[in-house]
Amino acid sequence: MPGFDTPLTVSRRGLLAGAGGVAVLAALAACAPAGGGGGGSGAIKFWNMPWGNTQFTPLDKKITLGYKPKSGLPSASYQAVQWANFTTTFASAVASNTGPAVSSGSGTQAFQFSQQNRIAYADHLLESWKSNGMFDDFLPGLLDTMKTSRGYVALPYNLDMRALWYRKSLLEKAGVEPPTDWQSYLDVCEALKKIGIFGYGIAAGAQGNGAQGIVGLMINNGGGLFDHDQKPNCVTPQNIQALEFIVEMVKKGYMDPGSVSYSSSNAQAQWKNDKFAMGFEAPSLAQILGGTVQDDMRVGDPLVSANGTKGALYFSNNIMMYKNTPSQKGSEAFLTYYYQNMKQLWTTSTGAGLPVLRSIAETPEFRADANAAKMVDVWQPVCKTWAAPGNDALFPNVALVDSTPAMSTFAQSILSLKVTPKDALSTLQKAITAGMK
């Protein structure tokens, strides 16, 4: 498989939250007056990130430059923005009114910029899509993740999630079937342990996504991090029970001890070396592993938790419009064209995550990947965002829990058995509360 422009070791949703990104964005965005609806000049500037493999950006640029606007509306230009230092790239450009009219970015970026009065809400555009069928083409619940009290802050664009993956041949070697609930997951782990294989594959180092998988199990059990008032509410019976399930796996030796400090690259090596047989990972895992291992990878069913519930964590990466545009009507016309023509990004294996539109998910080309189809069909309907369990819609303070040092510390403290589940959750809640504005 072609190499990915963005390795799995980098969070593609919450980098605004890391390395002081939230503070950088807030400070820079406040340095200049907010752009008006008629700001900017010339073409609609579309900035996009390298969401997939090396084929993604060239095709994405071709789609963008193929836009032929109606008379009186501006054309579109394209700029690829690399993930390295993208926080500062966007924040400084928006602050100086030299930024894009339309862009993707981190999953919480639109919510941050909306606080600075920089975002053009998508309500009018979505209303226009009701008449052409595009509004109803979104997968269930996705638009709700973008809806705030002031309107739709952005449009869902591509999906990431933490689904259960397993190595088919390794489970067969252990003589077990894929798990369907927490107890059978423990049973499969025990069988794998007997042949020297770990059943709880995770990477909780600074360059890993272990905390996301842990929160996914909390959501699986009906828990999560925030309540209906968007306040942190971590110390709940559901969350404690989920962490006790994880602690049980660690104590029984179902997790590689090195996982506490593993990067995603370390974990990928363990998958390839027949040491990891199960784990909660991103949709791109099989493609990244490549070779014969890719053919052996399977997506399992959502597990039924000890609480009798199903659920998982997902990330609705999005596209946003800015007030600083040569034409708001032009921005909306371009996005209508783009969403009507972006299908190729998923039907030609560019690795662009999972699609948000039914019409793309139903194409024969997309459904040829049984794992991807299962994640859309079976996993997406039970997934929730970082805002769970209180809300579907994201909000600015979720940036405090996506790929932040506090979350890494939380994951490492649990997996190293240094604290009790209740104490780990209490510490995390204090850290989130301290960072809120």
Side-chain angles (χ1 to χ4, degrees):
M1 294 299 296
F4 279 66
D5 293 347
T6 304
L8 196 61
T9 55
V10 178
S11 167
R12 293 187 280 190
R13 298 149 308 281
L15 285 178
L16 285 175
V22 173
V24 169
L25 187 151
L28 287 175
C31 288
S41 61
I44 297 294
K45 292 195 288 186
F46 178 41
W47 290 11
N48 207 2
M49 317 302 294
W51 288 104
N53 56 38
T54 54
Q55 301 173 42
F56 176 87
T57 296
L59 178 56
D60 194 49
K61 182 177 181 179
K62 180 181 179 181
I63 294 169
T64 301
L65 298 184
Y67 173 56
K68 299 186 186 306
K70 292 182 179 180
S71 177
L73 294 179
S75 60
S77 65
Y78 187 85
Q79 180 173 329
V81 179
Q82 300 305 312
W83 291 104
N85 301 316
F86 88 96
T87 313
T88 304
T89 299
F90 273 103
S92 59
V94 171
S96 61
N97 286 331
T98 59
V102 177
S103 83
S104 66
S106 111
T108 58
Q109 184 170 311
F111 298 87
Q112 296 292 328
F113 279 128
S114 67
Q115 289 188 308
Q116 305 298 330
N117 198 29
R118 305 296 178 142
I119 291 296
Y121 287 81
D123 295 59
H124 182 268
L125 174 60
L126 287 170
E127 185 65 28
S128 73
W129 286 2
K130 290 181 179 179
S131 62
N132 62 13
M134 293 175 66
F135 184 90
D136 294 325
D137 198 18
F138 284 95
L139 293 172
L142 291 190
L143 285 174
D144 291 339
T145 68
M146 301 290 109
K147 191 173 184 179
T148 70
S149 60
R150 296 176 62 185
Y152 290 95
V153 74
L155 302 172
Y157 178 41
N158 68 70
L159 299 180
D160 188 5
M161 66 178 63
R162 295 296 166 261
L164 172 60
W165 284 91
Y166 66 90
R167 288 276 310 272
K168 180 176 181 289
S169 65
L170 298 184
L171 265 62
E172 289 174 348
K173 183 178 180 181
V176 290
E177 295 293 324
T180 57
D181 55 26
W182 282 11
Q183 183 56 56
S184 59
Y185 194 96
L186 294 173
D187 295 340
V188 173
C189 283
E190 179 63 28
L192 290 165
K193 181 183 177 182
K194 292 177 180 178
I195 59 173
I197 300 172
F198 298 108
Y200 183 46
I202 190 169
Q207 297 299 318
N209 57 18
Q212 298 161 5
I214 291 173
V215 173
L217 283 170
M218 291 159 55
I219 293 173
N220 184 182
N221 202 42
L225 299 176
F226 294 95
D227 63 20
H228 288 281
D229 296 320
Q230 301 179 349
K231 301 286 180 63
N233 186 27
C234 304
V235 192
T236 65
Q238 295 90 341
N239 289 344
I240 292 172
Q241 188 175 36
L243 296 193
E244 288 174 343
F245 171 60
I246 293 170
V247 166
E248 180 178 359
M249 289 192 286
V250 176
K251 288 183 175 179
K252 289 183 174 179
Y254 301 158
M255 182 194 79
D256 181 347
S259 295
V260 175
S261 59
Y262 276 174
S263 67
S264 290
S265 295
N266 296 141
Q268 291 157 21
Q270 293 295 73
W271 282 98
K272 291 179 181 179
N273 293 333
D274 298 350
K275 299 303 293 182
F276 282 7
M278 296 192 298
F280 298 88
E281 282 286 359
S284 57
L285 179 62
Q287 289 177 293
I288 290 174
L289 296 177
T292 57
V293 175
Q294 177 177 351
D295 298 333
D296 193 38
M297 299 299 296
R298 299 290 187 276
V299 170
D301 292 327
L303 299 178
V304 178
S305 73
N307 202 33
T309 56
K310 294 181 180 181
L313 176 65
Y314 79 155
F315 316 95
S316 183
N317 299 307
N318 50 75
I319 283 182
M320 63 210 79
M321 296 181 290
Y322 299 82
K323 290 186 174 182
N324 186 48
T325 174
S327 165
Q328 180 58 32
K329 186 177 180 180
S331 291
E332 295 181 6
F334 166 70
L335 276 180
T336 299
Y337 159 83
Y338 185 79
Y339 271 69
Q340 288 174 332
N341 290 274
M342 67 182 186
K343 176 174 66 175
Q344 305 165 66
L345 298 173
W346 286 272
T347 58
T348 58
S349 301
T350 67
L354 299 172
V356 297
L357 301 181
R358 290 185 177 92
S359 58
I360 299 175
E362 291 170 357
T363 59
E365 295 91 343
F366 177 77
R367 302 202 73 80
D369 184 341
N371 289 324
K374 186 170 186 176
M375 283 183 276
V376 168
D377 294 346
V378 180
W379 283 83
Q380 187 273 326
V382 303
C383 281
K384 294 184 178 297
T385 70
W386 283 117
N391 300 274
D392 291 320
L394 295 167
F395 50 90
N397 280 323
V398 298
L400 297 168
V401 300
D402 192 2
S403 304
T404 60
M407 292 302 293
S408 293
T409 300
F410 165 67
Q412 291 168 354
S413 68
I414 284 294
L415 298 180
S416 62
L417 306 179
K418 290 182 177 180
V419 296
T420 65
K422 184 176 182 179
D423 286 344
L425 292 164
S426 297
T427 299
L428 177 61
Q429 178 155 326
K430 290 176 183 177
I432 300 170
T433 302
M436 293 178 68
K437 297 178 182 179

